[in-house]
PDB file of all heavy atoms in Angstrom:
ATOM      1  N   PHE A   1       0.869  -1.169   0.000  1.00 89.00           N
ATOM      2  CA  PHE A   1       0.000   0.000   0.000  1.00 89.00           C
ATOM      3  C   PHE A   1       0.903   1.215   0.000  1.00 89.00           C
ATOM      4  O   PHE A   1       1.453   1.602   1.030  1.00 89.00           O
ATOM      5  CB  PHE A   1      -0.917   0.003   1.229  1.00 89.00           C
ATOM      6  CG  PHE A   1      -1.831   1.203   1.309  1.00 89.00           C
ATOM      7  CD1 PHE A   1      -2.799   1.418   0.339  1.00 89.00           C
ATOM      8  CD2 PHE A   1      -1.718   2.113   2.346  1.00 89.00           C
ATOM      9  CE1 PHE A   1      -3.643   2.527   0.402  1.00 89.00           C
ATOM     10  CE2 PHE A   1      -2.565   3.219   2.425  1.00 89.00           C
ATOM     11  CZ  PHE A   1      -3.527   3.419   1.443  1.00 89.00           C
ATOM     12  N   ARG A   2       1.102   1.791  -1.161  1.00 92.00           N
ATOM     13  CA  ARG A   2       2.038   2.905  -1.312  1.00 92.00           C
ATOM     14  C   ARG A   2       1.418   4.182  -0.766  1.00 92.00           C
ATOM     15  O   ARG A   2       0.619   4.832  -1.440  1.00 92.00           O
ATOM     16  CB  ARG A   2       2.426   3.066  -2.775  1.00 92.00           C
ATOM     17  CG  ARG A   2       3.060   1.837  -3.409  1.00 92.00           C
ATOM     18  CD  ARG A   2       4.543   1.753  -3.216  1.00 92.00           C
ATOM     19  NE  ARG A   2       5.157   2.930  -3.806  1.00 92.00           N
ATOM     20  CZ  ARG A   2       6.313   3.432  -3.388  1.00 92.00           C
ATOM     21  NH1 ARG A   2       6.965   2.864  -2.405  1.00 92.00           N
ATOM     22  NH2 ARG A   2       6.821   4.495  -3.956  1.00 92.00           N
ATOM     23  N   ALA A   3       1.772   4.503   0.466  1.00 94.00           N
ATOM     24  CA  ALA A   3       1.239   5.684   1.135  1.00 94.00           C
ATOM     25  C   ALA A   3       2.258   6.167   2.160  1.00 94.00           C
ATOM     26  O   ALA A   3       3.145   5.424   2.569  1.00 94.00           O
ATOM     27  CB  ALA A   3      -0.086   5.356   1.817  1.00 94.00           C
ATOM     28  N   ALA A   4       2.128   7.426   2.560  1.00 94.00           N
ATOM     29  CA  ALA A   4       2.980   7.986   3.607  1.00 94.00           C
ATOM     30  C   ALA A   4       2.137   8.908   4.473  1.00 94.00           C
ATOM     31  O   ALA A   4       1.357   9.698   3.966  1.00 94.00           O
ATOM     32  CB  ALA A   4       4.151   8.749   3.000  1.00 94.00           C
ATOM     33  N   VAL A   5       2.310   8.788   5.779  1.00 94.00           N
ATOM     34  CA  VAL A   5       1.578   9.586   6.758  1.00 94.00           C
ATOM     35  C   VAL A   5       2.558  10.562   7.396  1.00 94.00           C
ATOM     36  O   VAL A   5       3.640  10.177   7.826  1.00 94.00           O
ATOM     37  CB  VAL A   5       0.940   8.681   7.848  1.00 94.00           C
ATOM     38  CG1 VAL A   5       0.223   9.514   8.887  1.00 94.00           C
ATOM     39  CG2 VAL A   5       0.008   7.667   7.216  1.00 94.00           C
ATOM     40  N   PHE A   6       2.148  11.836   7.467  1.00 94.00           N
ATOM     41  CA  PHE A   6       2.978  12.895   8.025  1.00 94.00           C
ATOM     42  C   PHE A   6       2.287  13.493   9.239  1.00 94.00           C
ATOM     43  O   PHE A   6       1.067  13.552   9.309  1.00 94.00           O
ATOM     44  CB  PHE A   6       3.180  14.018   7.002  1.00 94.00           C
ATOM     45  CG  PHE A   6       3.878  13.592   5.755  1.00 94.00           C
ATOM     46  CD1 PHE A   6       3.185  12.961   4.734  1.00 94.00           C
ATOM     47  CD2 PHE A   6       5.224  13.837   5.589  1.00 94.00           C
ATOM     48  CE1 PHE A   6       3.817  12.579   3.570  1.00 94.00           C
ATOM     49  CE2 PHE A   6       5.871  13.453   4.424  1.00 94.00           C
ATOM     50  CZ  PHE A   6       5.171  12.828   3.414  1.00 94.00           C
ATOM     51  N   ARG A   7       3.124  13.981  10.157  1.00 92.00           N
ATOM     52  CA  ARG A   7       2.585  14.651  11.337  1.00 92.00           C
ATOM     53  C   ARG A   7       3.497  15.806  11.694  1.00 92.00           C
ATOM     54  O   ARG A   7       4.695  15.636  11.853  1.00 92.00           O
ATOM     55  CB  ARG A   7       2.517  13.673  12.509  1.00 92.00           C
ATOM     56  CG  ARG A   7       1.924  14.298  13.751  1.00 92.00           C
ATOM     57  CD  ARG A   7       1.679  13.232  14.815  1.00 92.00           C
ATOM     58  NE  ARG A   7       1.013  13.847  15.927  1.00 92.00           N
ATOM     59  CZ  ARG A   7       1.521  13.901  17.142  1.00 92.00           C
ATOM     60  NH1 ARG A   7       2.680  13.346  17.407  1.00 92.00           N
ATOM     61  NH2 ARG A   7       0.856  14.493  18.103  1.00 92.00           N
ATOM     62  N   ALA A   8       2.909  16.995  11.835  1.00 87.00           N
ATOM     63  CA  ALA A   8       3.696  18.157  12.241  1.00 87.00           C
ATOM     64  C   ALA A   8       2.998  18.926  13.357  1.00 87.00           C
ATOM     65  O   ALA A   8       3.560  19.865  13.899  1.00 87.00           O
ATOM     66  CB  ALA A   8       3.936  19.090  11.054  1.00 87.00           C
ATOM     67  N   GLY A   9       1.794  18.542  13.684  1.00 81.00           N
ATOM     68  CA  GLY A   9       1.026  19.277  14.684  1.00 81.00           C
ATOM     69  C   GLY A   9       0.662  18.422  15.869  1.00 81.00           C
ATOM     70  O   GLY A   9       1.415  17.546  16.280  1.00 81.00           O
ATOM     71  N   ASN A  10      -0.528  18.658  16.396  1.00 80.00           N
ATOM     72  CA  ASN A  10      -0.976  17.996  17.613  1.00 80.00           C
ATOM     73  C   ASN A  10      -2.080  16.981  17.361  1.00 80.00           C
ATOM     74  O   ASN A  10      -2.917  16.752  18.221  1.00 80.00           O
ATOM     75  CB  ASN A  10      -1.484  19.051  18.609  1.00 80.00           C
ATOM     76  CG  ASN A  10      -0.383  19.982  19.023  1.00 80.00           C
ATOM     77  OD1 ASN A  10       0.748  19.566  19.215  1.00 80.00           O
ATOM     78  ND2 ASN A  10      -0.691  21.259  19.143  1.00 80.00           N
ATOM     79  N   THR A  11      -2.101  16.379  16.191  1.00 83.00           N
ATOM     80  CA  THR A  11      -3.124  15.395  15.873  1.00 83.00           C
ATOM     81  C   THR A  11      -2.460  14.104  15.415  1.00 83.00           C
ATOM     82  O   THR A  11      -1.249  14.055  15.228  1.00 83.00           O
ATOM     83  CB  THR A  11      -4.105  15.955  14.805  1.00 83.00           C
ATOM     84  OG1 THR A  11      -5.185  15.061  14.646  1.00 83.00           O
ATOM     85  CG2 THR A  11      -3.411  16.179  13.481  1.00 83.00           C
ATOM     86  N   HIS A  12      -3.250  13.061  15.245  1.00 85.00           N
ATOM     87  CA  HIS A  12      -2.725  11.749  14.844  1.00 85.00           C
ATOM     88  C   HIS A  12      -2.002  11.803  13.519  1.00 85.00           C
ATOM     89  O   HIS A  12      -1.007  11.152  13.303  1.00 85.00           O
ATOM     90  CB  HIS A  12      -3.845  10.707  14.799  1.00 85.00           C
ATOM     91  CG  HIS A  12      -5.134  11.262  14.274  1.00 85.00           C
ATOM     92  ND1 HIS A  12      -5.371  11.467  12.929  1.00 85.00           N
ATOM     93  CD2 HIS A  12      -6.223  11.705  14.932  1.00 85.00           C
ATOM     94  CE1 HIS A  12      -6.578  11.990  12.774  1.00 85.00           C
ATOM     95  NE2 HIS A  12      -7.116  12.148  13.983  1.00 85.00           N
ATOM     96  N   HIS A  13      -2.512  12.587  12.574  1.00 89.00           N
ATOM     97  CA  HIS A  13      -1.808  12.855  11.313  1.00 89.00           C
ATOM     98  C   HIS A  13      -2.369  14.129  10.704  1.00 89.00           C
ATOM     99  O   HIS A  13      -3.540  14.429  10.849  1.00 89.00           O
ATOM    100  CB  HIS A  13      -1.896  11.668  10.348  1.00 89.00           C
ATOM    101  CG  HIS A  13      -3.239  11.444   9.720  1.00 89.00           C
ATOM    102  ND1 HIS A  13      -4.321  10.951  10.414  1.00 89.00           N
ATOM    103  CD2 HIS A  13      -3.662  11.640   8.449  1.00 89.00           C
ATOM    104  CE1 HIS A  13      -5.353  10.849   9.588  1.00 89.00           C
ATOM    105  NE2 HIS A  13      -4.985  11.267   8.394  1.00 89.00           N
ATOM    106  N   ASP A  14      -1.486  14.867  10.074  1.00 91.00           N
ATOM    107  CA  ASP A  14      -1.878  16.103   9.411  1.00 91.00           C
ATOM    108  C   ASP A  14      -2.079  15.896   7.923  1.00 91.00           C
ATOM    109  O   ASP A  14      -2.848  16.597   7.286  1.00 91.00           O
ATOM    110  CB  ASP A  14      -0.790  17.177   9.579  1.00 91.00           C
ATOM    111  CG  ASP A  14      -0.555  17.534  11.019  1.00 91.00           C
ATOM    112  OD1 ASP A  14      -1.489  18.047  11.656  1.00 91.00           O
ATOM    113  OD2 ASP A  14       0.562  17.297  11.511  1.00 91.00           O
ATOM    114  N   PHE A  15      -1.355  14.921   7.380  1.00 94.00           N
ATOM    115  CA  PHE A  15      -1.235  14.827   5.940  1.00 94.00           C
ATOM    116  C   PHE A  15      -0.997  13.377   5.547  1.00 94.00           C
ATOM    117  O   PHE A  15      -0.249  12.670   6.216  1.00 94.00           O
ATOM    118  CB  PHE A  15      -0.046  15.710   5.540  1.00 94.00           C
ATOM    119  CG  PHE A  15       0.102  15.988   4.090  1.00 94.00           C
ATOM    120  CD1 PHE A  15      -0.950  16.440   3.327  1.00 94.00           C
ATOM    121  CD2 PHE A  15       1.332  15.816   3.487  1.00 94.00           C
ATOM    122  CE1 PHE A  15      -0.790  16.718   1.990  1.00 94.00           C
ATOM    123  CE2 PHE A  15       1.508  16.092   2.152  1.00 94.00           C
ATOM    124  CZ  PHE A  15       0.437  16.541   1.395  1.00 94.00           C
ATOM    125  N   LEU A  16      -1.639  12.954   4.474  1.00 95.00           N
ATOM    126  CA  LEU A  16      -1.487  11.584   3.978  1.00 95.00           C
ATOM    127  C   LEU A  16      -1.368  11.628   2.470  1.00 95.00           C
ATOM    128  O   LEU A  16      -2.164  12.301   1.799  1.00 95.00           O
ATOM    129  CB  LEU A  16      -2.699  10.739   4.392  1.00 95.00           C
ATOM    130  CG  LEU A  16      -2.863   9.345   3.789  1.00 95.00           C
ATOM    131  CD1 LEU A  16      -1.705   8.431   4.131  1.00 95.00           C
ATOM    132  CD2 LEU A  16      -4.189   8.742   4.253  1.00 95.00           C
ATOM    133  N   LEU A  17      -0.375  10.945   1.939  1.00 96.00           N
ATOM    134  CA  LEU A  17      -0.217  10.786   0.500  1.00 96.00           C
ATOM    135  C   LEU A  17      -0.503   9.333   0.157  1.00 96.00           C
ATOM    136  O   LEU A  17       0.020   8.427   0.818  1.00 96.00           O
ATOM    137  CB  LEU A  17       1.215  11.118   0.059  1.00 96.00           C
ATOM    138  CG  LEU A  17       1.722  12.520   0.336  1.00 96.00           C
ATOM    139  CD1 LEU A  17       3.193  12.635  -0.074  1.00 96.00           C
ATOM    140  CD2 LEU A  17       0.881  13.554  -0.383  1.00 96.00           C
ATOM    141  N   ILE A  18      -1.308   9.105  -0.880  1.00 95.00           N
ATOM    142  CA  ILE A  18      -1.610   7.748  -1.350  1.00 95.00           C
ATOM    143  C   ILE A  18      -1.261   7.692  -2.833  1.00 95.00           C
ATOM    144  O   ILE A  18      -1.782   8.474  -3.628  1.00 95.00           O
ATOM    145  CB  ILE A  18      -3.097   7.399  -1.148  1.00 95.00           C
ATOM    146  CG1 ILE A  18      -3.473   7.489   0.332  1.00 95.00           C
ATOM    147  CG2 ILE A  18      -3.402   6.004  -1.706  1.00 95.00           C
ATOM    148  CD1 ILE A  18      -4.960   7.328   0.606  1.00 95.00           C
ATOM    149  N   GLU A  19      -0.398   6.756  -3.185  1.00 95.00           N
ATOM    150  CA  GLU A  19      -0.001   6.616  -4.580  1.00 95.00           C
ATOM    151  C   GLU A  19      -1.096   5.925  -5.382  1.00 95.00           C
ATOM    152  O   GLU A  19      -1.583   4.865  -4.994  1.00 95.00           O
ATOM    153  CB  GLU A  19       1.298   5.815  -4.687  1.00 95.00           C
ATOM    154  CG  GLU A  19       1.829   5.732  -6.104  1.00 95.00           C
ATOM    155  CD  GLU A  19       3.140   4.991  -6.175  1.00 95.00           C
ATOM    156  OE1 GLU A  19       3.106   3.743  -6.158  1.00 95.00           O
ATOM    157  OE2 GLU A  19       4.189   5.662  -6.237  1.00 95.00           O
ATOM    158  N   VAL A  20      -1.475   6.534  -6.509  1.00 96.00           N
ATOM    159  CA  VAL A  20      -2.480   5.944  -7.393  1.00 96.00           C
ATOM    160  C   VAL A  20      -1.887   5.563  -8.743  1.00 96.00           C
ATOM    161  O   VAL A  20      -2.580   4.984  -9.574  1.00 96.00           O
ATOM    162  CB  VAL A  20      -3.698   6.883  -7.592  1.00 96.00           C
ATOM    163  CG1 VAL A  20      -4.464   7.025  -6.293  1.00 96.00           C
ATOM    164  CG2 VAL A  20      -3.291   8.229  -8.141  1.00 96.00           C
ATOM    165  N   GLY A  21      -0.631   5.882  -8.985  1.00 94.00           N
ATOM    166  CA  GLY A  21       0.042   5.501 -10.220  1.00 94.00           C
ATOM    167  C   GLY A  21       0.018   6.578 -11.281  1.00 94.00           C
ATOM    168  O   GLY A  21      -0.750   7.534 -11.227  1.00 94.00           O
ATOM    169  N   LYS A  22       0.871   6.392 -12.269  1.00 92.00           N
ATOM    170  CA  LYS A  22       1.054   7.390 -13.321  1.00 92.00           C
ATOM    171  C   LYS A  22      -0.089   7.438 -14.327  1.00 92.00           C
ATOM    172  O   LYS A  22      -0.187   8.378 -15.098  1.00 92.00           O
ATOM    173  CB  LYS A  22       2.373   7.126 -14.032  1.00 92.00           C
ATOM    174  CG  LYS A  22       3.576   7.323 -13.125  1.00 92.00           C
ATOM    175  CD  LYS A  22       4.869   7.198 -13.883  1.00 92.00           C
ATOM    176  CE  LYS A  22       6.090   7.224 -13.022  1.00 92.00           C
ATOM    177  NZ  LYS A  22       6.194   8.220 -12.028  1.00 92.00           N
ATOM    178  N   ASN A  23      -0.974   6.452 -14.342  1.00 94.00           N
ATOM    179  CA  ASN A  23      -2.088   6.436 -15.292  1.00 94.00           C
ATOM    180  C   ASN A  23      -3.340   7.129 -14.769  1.00 94.00           C
ATOM    181  O   ASN A  23      -4.349   7.171 -15.462  1.00 94.00           O
ATOM    182  CB  ASN A  23      -2.420   4.998 -15.700  1.00 94.00           C
ATOM    183  CG  ASN A  23      -1.292   4.384 -16.516  1.00 94.00           C
ATOM    184  OD1 ASN A  23      -0.602   5.074 -17.258  1.00 94.00           O
ATOM    185  ND2 ASN A  23      -1.082   3.087 -16.352  1.00 94.00           N
ATOM    186  N   ALA A  24      -3.293   7.659 -13.558  1.00 93.00           N
ATOM    187  CA  ALA A  24      -4.448   8.371 -12.995  1.00 93.00           C
ATOM    188  C   ALA A  24      -4.651   9.686 -13.744  1.00 93.00           C
ATOM    189  O   ALA A  24      -3.718  10.239 -14.335  1.00 93.00           O
ATOM    190  CB  ALA A  24      -4.224   8.640 -11.510  1.00 93.00           C
ATOM    191  N   GLN A  25      -5.866  10.205 -13.712  1.00 92.00           N
ATOM    192  CA  GLN A  25      -6.180  11.477 -14.353  1.00 92.00           C
ATOM    193  C   GLN A  25      -5.385  12.603 -13.696  1.00 92.00           C
ATOM    194  O   GLN A  25      -5.396  12.727 -12.471  1.00 92.00           O
ATOM    195  CB  GLN A  25      -7.677  11.782 -14.231  1.00 92.00           C
ATOM    196  CG  GLN A  25      -8.561  10.873 -15.035  1.00 92.00           C
ATOM    197  CD  GLN A  25      -8.365  11.101 -16.530  1.00 92.00           C
ATOM    198  OE1 GLN A  25      -8.244  12.232 -16.983  1.00 92.00           O
ATOM    199  NE2 GLN A  25      -8.311  10.015 -17.277  1.00 92.00           N
ATOM    200  N   PRO A  26      -4.713  13.446 -14.479  1.00 90.00           N
ATOM    201  CA  PRO A  26      -3.978  14.570 -13.893  1.00 90.00           C
ATOM    202  C   PRO A  26      -4.934  15.682 -13.449  1.00 90.00           C
ATOM    203  O   PRO A  26      -6.103  15.703 -13.846  1.00 90.00           O
ATOM    204  CB  PRO A  26      -3.089  15.050 -15.044  1.00 90.00           C
ATOM    205  CG  PRO A  26      -3.842  14.665 -16.269  1.00 90.00           C
ATOM    206  CD  PRO A  26      -4.577  13.381 -15.932  1.00 90.00           C
ATOM    207  N   ILE A  27      -4.417  16.592 -12.657  1.00 90.00           N
ATOM    208  CA  ILE A  27      -5.174  17.766 -12.231  1.00 90.00           C
ATOM    209  C   ILE A  27      -5.373  18.645 -13.471  1.00 90.00           C
ATOM    210  O   ILE A  27      -4.404  18.948 -14.173  1.00 90.00           O
ATOM    211  CB  ILE A  27      -4.419  18.539 -11.138  1.00 90.00           C
ATOM    212  CG1 ILE A  27      -4.245  17.669  -9.898  1.00 90.00           C
ATOM    213  CG2 ILE A  27      -5.137  19.840 -10.795  1.00 90.00           C
ATOM    214  CD1 ILE A  27      -3.294  18.248  -8.882  1.00 90.00           C
ATOM    215  N   PRO A  28      -6.600  19.078 -13.756  1.00 89.00           N
ATOM    216  CA  PRO A  28      -6.808  19.942 -14.926  1.00 89.00           C
ATOM    217  C   PRO A  28      -6.075  21.274 -14.774  1.00 89.00           C
ATOM    218  O   PRO A  28      -5.939  21.799 -13.675  1.00 89.00           O
ATOM    219  CB  PRO A  28      -8.322  20.171 -14.951  1.00 89.00           C
ATOM    220  CG  PRO A  28      -8.910  19.230 -13.983  1.00 89.00           C
ATOM    221  CD  PRO A  28      -7.833  18.797 -13.046  1.00 89.00           C
ATOM    222  N   LYS A  29      -5.596  21.803 -15.880  1.00 86.00           N
ATOM    223  CA  LYS A  29      -4.948  23.126 -15.871  1.00 86.00           C
ATOM    224  C   LYS A  29      -6.018  24.214 -15.830  1.00 86.00           C
ATOM    225  O   LYS A  29      -7.126  24.031 -16.332  1.00 86.00           O
ATOM    226  CB  LYS A  29      -4.094  23.310 -17.124  1.00 86.00           C
ATOM    227  CG  LYS A  29      -2.994  22.285 -17.262  1.00 86.00           C
ATOM    228  CD  LYS A  29      -1.900  22.540 -16.280  1.00 86.00           C
ATOM    229  CE  LYS A  29      -0.754  21.566 -16.519  1.00 86.00           C
ATOM    230  NZ  LYS A  29      -0.029  21.262 -15.342  1.00 86.00           N
ATOM    231  N   GLY A  30      -5.691  25.359 -15.258  1.00 85.00           N
ATOM    232  CA  GLY A  30      -6.598  26.488 -15.222  1.00 85.00           C
ATOM    233  C   GLY A  30      -7.707  26.316 -14.202  1.00 85.00           C
ATOM    234  O   GLY A  30      -7.747  25.336 -13.451  1.00 85.00           O
ATOM    235  N   PRO A  31      -8.644  27.274 -14.166  1.00 90.00           N
ATOM    236  CA  PRO A  31      -9.746  27.202 -13.198  1.00 90.00           C
ATOM    237  C   PRO A  31     -10.598  25.946 -13.413  1.00 90.00           C
ATOM    238  O   PRO A  31     -10.927  25.596 -14.544  1.00 90.00           O
ATOM    239  CB  PRO A  31     -10.560  28.465 -13.482  1.00 90.00           C
ATOM    240  CG  PRO A  31      -9.604  29.389 -14.165  1.00 90.00           C
ATOM    241  CD  PRO A  31      -8.675  28.507 -14.947  1.00 90.00           C
ATOM    242  N   HIS A  32     -10.901  25.285 -12.329  1.00 89.00           N
ATOM    243  CA  HIS A  32     -11.731  24.085 -12.359  1.00 89.00           C
ATOM    244  C   HIS A  32     -12.341  23.889 -10.979  1.00 89.00           C
ATOM    245  O   HIS A  32     -11.858  24.451 -10.000  1.00 89.00           O
ATOM    246  CB  HIS A  32     -10.911  22.854 -12.766  1.00 89.00           C
ATOM    247  CG  HIS A  32      -9.784  22.550 -11.824  1.00 89.00           C
ATOM    248  ND1 HIS A  32      -8.574  23.212 -11.873  1.00 89.00           N
ATOM    249  CD2 HIS A  32      -9.692  21.696 -10.780  1.00 89.00           C
ATOM    250  CE1 HIS A  32      -7.790  22.755 -10.913  1.00 89.00           C
ATOM    251  NE2 HIS A  32      -8.437  21.838 -10.231  1.00 89.00           N
ATOM    252  N   VAL A  33     -13.379  23.114 -10.925  1.00 93.00           N
ATOM    253  CA  VAL A  33     -13.983  22.796  -9.638  1.00 93.00           C
ATOM    254  C   VAL A  33     -13.028  21.866  -8.895  1.00 93.00           C
ATOM    255  O   VAL A  33     -12.477  20.928  -9.468  1.00 93.00           O
ATOM    256  CB  VAL A  33     -15.359  22.119  -9.827  1.00 93.00           C
ATOM    257  CG1 VAL A  33     -15.902  21.639  -8.498  1.00 93.00           C
ATOM    258  CG2 VAL A  33     -16.333  23.084 -10.489  1.00 93.00           C
ATOM    259  N   GLY A  34     -12.816  22.146  -7.635  1.00 92.00           N
ATOM    260  CA  GLY A  34     -11.908  21.341  -6.824  1.00 92.00           C
ATOM    261  C   GLY A  34     -11.038  22.246  -5.984  1.00 92.00           C
ATOM    262  O   GLY A  34     -11.241  23.461  -5.901  1.00 92.00           O
TER     263      GLY A  34
END
């Protein structure tokens, strides 16, 4: 399970990255919903 959990504050985790692979849809350029 390609993931990494980060903590910099006072909670169980602040940030989580989950790898979905290079074939996933990229973030659209320019203004978009999200």
